[in-house]
Amino acid sequence: MLRGQLFIDGAWCAAHAGALMDVIDPASEQVFAQVASAQARDVDAAVRAARRAFDTGPWPRLSGCERARVLRAMAVALREQLEALARLEVRDNGKPLPEARWDVGDAAGCFEYYAGLAEQEDKRGAEHLDLPDGRFSSRVTRQPVGVVGAIIPWNYPLLMAAWKLAPALAAGCTVVLKPSELTPMSALELVRIGHAAGLPPGVLNLVTGLGATAGQALSEHKSVDKLAFTGSLATGSKVMQAAARDIKRVSLELGGKSPLIVFADTEIEQALEWIMFGIFWNQGQVCSATSRVLIERPLYAKLLERLAQEVARIPIGSGMKEGVLLGPLVSQSQLDKVRAAITRAVQEGASLVSGGSERPPGCGDKGYFVAPTIIADMRLDSWIWAEEVFGPVLCVAAFDSEEEALRLANDSRFGLAAAVMSRDLERCDRVAAALQAGVVWINCSQPTFCEAPWGGFKQSGIGRELGRWGFENYLEIKQITRYDSRAPWAWYIQAGQRD
């Protein structure tokens, strides 16, 4: 059985209380690993190590080029260990192996990208300002924000760690990383990779544990300068409240109920592919999943019929099995939530077009499996239409005009992502401009690039990850203004009164 410890101040160690947590394979429901369960005392030790490393250690004082060398070494190691890491991710999370391979490659690319931004920061240097008073000169510099508490979710364990660690480390911050208790294993490997690549002690610390203990202790710690959180709206609200007590910097990437608008002139096969990719990738456990599809009425019946046919053909099973495109959900708790959402929708009068809450055939009696599900004819004020299910559950509705489609799409407290499909690119651009979301896709759904900003409107979060915007999350801006004139200022003490 695999075992994992905490990583604090450059060394592996057991949790102070000696507590352990089981890690369960979602496809078999078998415990395959145990990791340390950190308590507040362990979190305090990790934060103190990060504080020392930031205040007195070399990492924040290195040039961007020096930090970039370490980040590039981490990217190389990720690519070298891609297959082993992908298989570990499948056992931890349940996603199909091809998706896990994609995630590891994306994580490596993220470290390479931010290595490049660290190098560019050296070249950018200070920004000199033109001031209206020639007696002064002023420059703007950037410096790392300090100690970062990074709390990541279970749906993309390795990739979400990379999204936070790569820009934070590139900026010169030190980090305490807290992965989800459901999927901690790839974080352990990433920390090993960082240590081997040359991160000094205390720069990257890992605390595995429950959100209610380790996560809360990290959020509330007074020596943490910034919290970077990805997860549910409910937990994000708690993180924000904790940050408010000490006015910590905070970035939050929270939930979504993302719409996809399909106009009647869309080629049907293209629409099928992107609708399915938008909701069934990673078992629908994606914050940006386009889980509400609005179809223009002339295309509605035909597209819905074809969707039901294609969804029934999706291979379901263990993520390790060749050809599988839909694995198990991450846990029994998540399975229960998804099944309850489907049952509630049917009880409230919605039509079950495909799938349902019953166990899909051919999956045996073990594993947290649910069939890909399509729901139609629901009330547009119902729970299933408005709230995030975080599973392979697609809600479909018809519309009659562009104005109606936009009204329905924007009628949500979330605003992470949205998509529009049409052969009329002018209409696509017009709709994209009107959609209330931080990420909008045209004639596609879910492509994500580390060069582009990621984050949402409304209750989908605060701030942006990825791109240069994600890098700036971890930098403080400092104004330095100098009085250059040799003439006295002479406001309180006039020249004739001087000794």
Side-chain angles (χ1 to χ4, degrees), residues 257 334-348 350 352 356-357 370 373 375 382-385 387-391 393 395:
K257 191 70 174 181
Q334 190 62 22
L335 178 62
D336 292 343
K337 290 176 183 177
V338 172
R339 283 175 169 170
I342 296 169
T343 300
R344 177 176 177 177
V346 174
Q347 290 174 344
E348 291 178 350
L352 196 60
S357 60
V370 66
T373 298
I375 294 174
S382 65
W383 189 94
I384 196 74
W385 179 259
E387 299 300 328
E388 186 175 46
V389 176
F390 224 64
V393 179
C395 295

Side-chain angles (χ1 to χ4, degrees), residues 403-479:
E403 292 74 20
E404 182 187 15
L406 280 168
R407 177 178 58 78
L408 294 174
N410 288 333
D411 184 19
S412 173
R413 61 176 173 156
F414 298 109
L416 179 55
V420 55
M421 300 190 71
S422 172
R423 293 181 185 177
D424 184 343
L425 295 184
E426 287 188 7
R427 174 163 58 186
C428 285
D429 287 340
R430 184 172 64 245
V431 170
L435 285 165
Q436 296 168 3
V439 179
V440 178
W441 295 295
I442 293 176
N443 288 330
C444 59
S445 177
Q446 305 307 314
T448 304
F449 303 94
C450 45
E451 295 82 0
W454 182 269
F457 292 10
K458 306 179 186 178
Q459 293 185 31
S460 285
I462 295 173
R464 294 295 182 269
E465 294 191 291
L466 300 183
R468 58 181 174 83
W469 301 268
F471 186 53
E472 289 166 0
N473 268 338
Y474 299 95
L475 294 171
E476 289 281 24
I477 297 174
K478 177 181 287 187
Q479 173 210 142

Side-chain angles (χ1 to χ4, degrees), residues 29 64 115 119 153 164-165 210 260 311 329 343 359 402 446 480:
E29 302 184 37
E119 292 165 339
K164 288 175 172 50
L165 294 184
L210 299 174
L260 192 166
V311 166
L329 300 182
T343 300
R359 188 175 187 83
E402 181 178 317
Q446 305 307 314
I480 302 174

Side-chain angles (χ1 to χ4, degrees), residues 298-367:
L299 187 62
Y300 179 80
K302 184 177 181 181
L303 182 52
L304 189 57
E305 180 183 7
R306 289 282 288 114
L307 269 171
Q309 293 169 356
E310 293 302 322
V311 166
R313 297 189 180 106
I314 296 176
I316 308 171
S318 166
M320 294 291 191
K321 187 178 179 181
E322 184 72 25
V324 162
L325 293 178
L326 193 86
L329 300 182
V330 72
S331 67
Q332 181 66 53
S333 173
Q334 190 62 22
L335 178 62
D336 292 343
K337 290 176 183 177
V338 172
R339 283 175 169 170
I342 296 169
T343 300
R344 177 176 177 177
V346 174
Q347 290 174 344
E348 291 178 350
S351 300
L352 196 60
V353 178
S354 180
S357 60
E358 299 299 318
R359 188 175 187 83
C363 290
D365 60 355
K366 292 292 183 182

Side-chain angles (χ1 to χ4, degrees), residues 92-334:
D92 215 9
N93 168 273
K95 65 179 63 188
L97 184 57
E99 291 188 27
R101 289 176 179 138
W102 195 333
D103 288 355
V104 180
D106 278 357
C110 190
F111 279 97
E112 289 170 341
Y113 173 75
Y114 282 106
L117 285 193
E119 292 165 339
Q120 290 177 26
E121 188 68 13
D122 283 352
K123 296 176 183 177
R124 178 164 65 166
E127 178 184 353
H128 293 271
L129 306 178
D130 290 327
L131 301 179
D133 189 330
R135 294 174 294 175
F136 297 88
S137 61
S138 189
R139 66 186 187 274
V140 175
T141 63
R142 294 165 181 82
Q143 61 190 52
V145 72
V147 175
V148 174
I151 303 174
I152 59 173
W154 46 258
N155 58 336
Y156 289 95
L158 182 66
L159 188 57
M160 292 297 99
W163 279 24
K164 288 175 172 50
L165 294 184
L169 294 174
C173 296
T174 59
V175 183
V176 178
L177 174 66
K178 193 277 179 193
S180 168
E181 56 264 36
L182 297 176
T183 55
M185 300 308 295
S186 58
L188 295 168
E189 297 307 311
L190 185 56
V191 168
R192 287 191 181 95
I193 285 171
H195 183 59
L199 288 175
V203 171
L204 175 56
N205 307 272
L206 174 71
V207 289
T208 52
L210 299 174
T213 51
Q216 182 175 343
L218 183 57
S219 298
E220 294 177 348
H221 203 290
K222 292 184 179 297
S223 290
V224 170
D225 299 302
K226 174 181 170 58
L227 291 169
F229 172 82
T230 297
S232 71
L233 175 60
T235 306
S237 177
K238 294 178 182 177
V239 170
M240 193 171 181
Q241 289 175 44
R245 293 171 194 149
D246 301 307
I247 317 298
K248 292 180 177 69
R249 306 295 182 265
V250 62
S251 53
L252 304 173
E253 201 268 89
L254 307 176
K257 191 70 174 181
S258 302
L260 192 166
I261 299 171
V262 183
F263 286 97
D265 64 345
T266 306
E267 199 278 317
I268 196 165
E269 296 302 316
Q270 183 186 22
L272 284 168
E273 181 62 35
W274 286 113
I275 290 171
M276 293 170 69
F277 194 81
I279 184 58
F280 300 130
W281 179 262
N282 200 29
Q283 294 71 250
Q285 297 170 138
V286 183
C287 52
S288 61
T290 36
S291 54
R292 292 186 296 145
V293 171
L294 293 154
I295 305 171
E296 196 168 14
R297 199 169 299 278
L299 187 62
Y300 179 80
K302 184 177 181 181
L303 182 52
L304 189 57
E305 180 183 7
R306 289 282 288 114
L307 269 171
Q309 293 169 356
E310 293 302 322
V311 166
R313 297 189 180 106
I314 296 176
I316 308 171
S318 166
M320 294 291 191
K321 187 178 179 181
E322 184 72 25
V324 162
L325 293 178
L326 193 86
L329 300 182
V330 72
S331 67
Q332 181 66 53
S333 173
Q334 190 62 22

